[in-house]
Amino acid sequence: MNFYLTISHTTNCSPLLISIPHSGTEIPESIQHRINQQAKRNHTDWQLDLLVKDFPFTTIASKLSRYIVDVNRSKYSSKSSILPIIPRYDESGSPLFKQYPSKSIQQQWIKEYYTPYYDAILEQIPLKEANYSKVCLLDLHSYDDQSFASDKIIISTRDCSTISKESLKFIVRCFEKAGLSIQLDTPFKGGNIIHEVSKQQNVEAIQIEIPYSLYLHNNTLDPQKSKSLQEKLLQLFLQIEEYYKK
């Protein structure tokens, strides 16, 4: 059993699967002595798991801080993906660890915290494929819109490589009907989760980045804003669910 994963509504008969990789804040006790306590960990997707916890869809979320192991990074570095699974620095350039973990420790952390996240997703897909011809993964994130030149919801598809144009067009229309302003693939193209999961046959995936200002106040749920967004997202996700049930 992995204590840093939460998996809910697994008996839900739906083609939708929600992933929340960056809302976790926990740091294992065995790692506490390694971390730089003065480092900042601001770009967490604060309380995003709580925002959708009552939604009736299979949801997989990491409780582990992304500043220990980032499950949305690729194992394979390239010119377009150079951020490591185990990050070195915070947003201001301060080291996250007193001493960066050795390669053997990195491999152990990847085995304990990274691989189980993908395993959990891949275990759910065939269960859904037993009832539906297509499965849709919604990879949920949030971002500090004071740090980026955007205050819109960002739908990322890695330039439409993770979803069909027809499906994306429908989803975009759902957001627009809900009165939620969006833009596509900028400033975020989408991370490793939608890239890897969309390789599965009959699976489409998008990354959804929600600006903090839409639901947070001082990194906690704003009662009015979060309630309004919850209602819109639930109805929107139900529409997407119906689309994939056809």
Side-chain angles (χ1 to χ4, degrees):
M1 181 178 180
N2 191 297
F3 296 103
Y4 294 97
L5 272 180
T6 59
I7 307 173
S8 59
H9 301 295
T10 54
T11 57
N12 156 272
C13 195
S14 169
L16 240 57
L17 176 59
I18 294 176
S19 159
I20 308 176
H22 288 162
S23 65
T25 58
E26 295 187 23
I27 297 174
E29 189 175 341
S30 60
I31 294 174
Q32 287 284 349
H33 70 285
R34 292 182 174 275
I35 67 168
N36 175 9
Q37 298 289 353
Q38 280 69 51
K40 300 182 185 302
R41 296 170 179 82
N42 292 337
H43 288 181
T44 296
D45 297 350
W46 304 106
Q47 303 205 338
L48 197 56
D49 51 342
L50 295 180
L51 184 75
V52 302
K53 73 180 181 65
D54 294 324
F55 285 16
F57 310 109
T58 306
T59 301
I60 296 169
S62 175
K63 295 192 288 184
L64 186 78
S65 170
R66 67 183 295 183
Y67 291 92
I68 302 300
V69 172
D70 190 336
V71 297
N72 201 30
R73 303 297 178 209
S74 173
K75 288 183 179 181
Y76 312 103
S77 62
S78 67
K79 289 182 180 179
S80 61
S81 177
I82 58 173
L83 296 174
I85 291 174
I86 300 168
R88 290 179 177 272
Y89 306 103
D90 68 11
E91 291 79 20
S92 59
S94 297
L96 288 163
F97 300 94
K98 295 173 185 175
Q99 185 176 10
Y100 194 69
S102 65
K103 286 188 177 181
S104 62
I105 292 173
Q106 290 179 48
Q107 290 302 316
Q108 184 62 32
W109 289 4
I110 288 170
K111 180 181 178 181
E112 289 183 16
Y113 308 121
Y114 180 91
T115 303
Y117 196 87
Y118 288 86
D119 288 346
I121 291 174
L122 295 178
E123 283 172 9
Q124 292 301 317
I125 289 172
L127 301 179
K128 295 181 177 300
E129 285 179 327
N131 296 307
Y132 303 102
S133 58
K134 277 189 178 181
V135 175
C136 180
L137 174 84
L138 304 178
D139 192 43
L140 301 190
H141 297 256
S142 61
Y143 73 100
D144 183 357
D145 38 324
Q146 292 186 349
S147 300
F148 293 89
S150 174
D151 60 356
K152 297 181 179 181
I153 292 176
I154 314 300
I155 297 178
S156 305
T157 66
R158 295 176 76 101
D159 294 323
C160 213
S161 66
T162 64
I163 189 171
S164 70
K165 290 182 179 179
E166 180 184 1
S167 298
L168 178 60
K169 185 178 179 181
F170 175 83
I171 291 172
V172 166
R173 195 159 59 242
C174 287
F175 274 89
E176 291 172 345
K177 286 180 179 178
L180 294 170
S181 297
I182 63 167
Q183 59 191 45
L184 295 176
D185 286 315
T186 180
F188 311 115
K189 291 283 188 183
N192 192 63
I193 291 171
I194 63 169
H195 174 65
E196 288 298 324
V197 174
S198 64
K199 290 178 181 178
Q200 300 292 310
Q201 191 174 13
N202 304 321
V203 178
E204 296 187 327
I206 60 171
Q207 181 172 300
I208 301 172
E209 290 266 4
I210 300 170
Y212 285 177
S213 62
L214 266 188
Y215 77 104
L216 291 176
H217 177 70
N218 292 334
N219 296 342
T220 61
L221 293 182
D222 180 284
Q224 291 183 323
K225 289 181 178 180
S226 64
K227 186 175 186 297
S228 174
L229 183 61
Q230 279 173 333
E231 292 171 353
K232 290 179 180 180
L233 287 180
L234 177 57
Q235 292 307 311
L236 196 155
F237 289 178
L238 287 169
Q239 291 171 35
I240 297 174
E241 178 187 55
E242 285 301 314
Y243 173 85
Y244 280 92
K245 280 184 175 180
K246 294 176 182 178

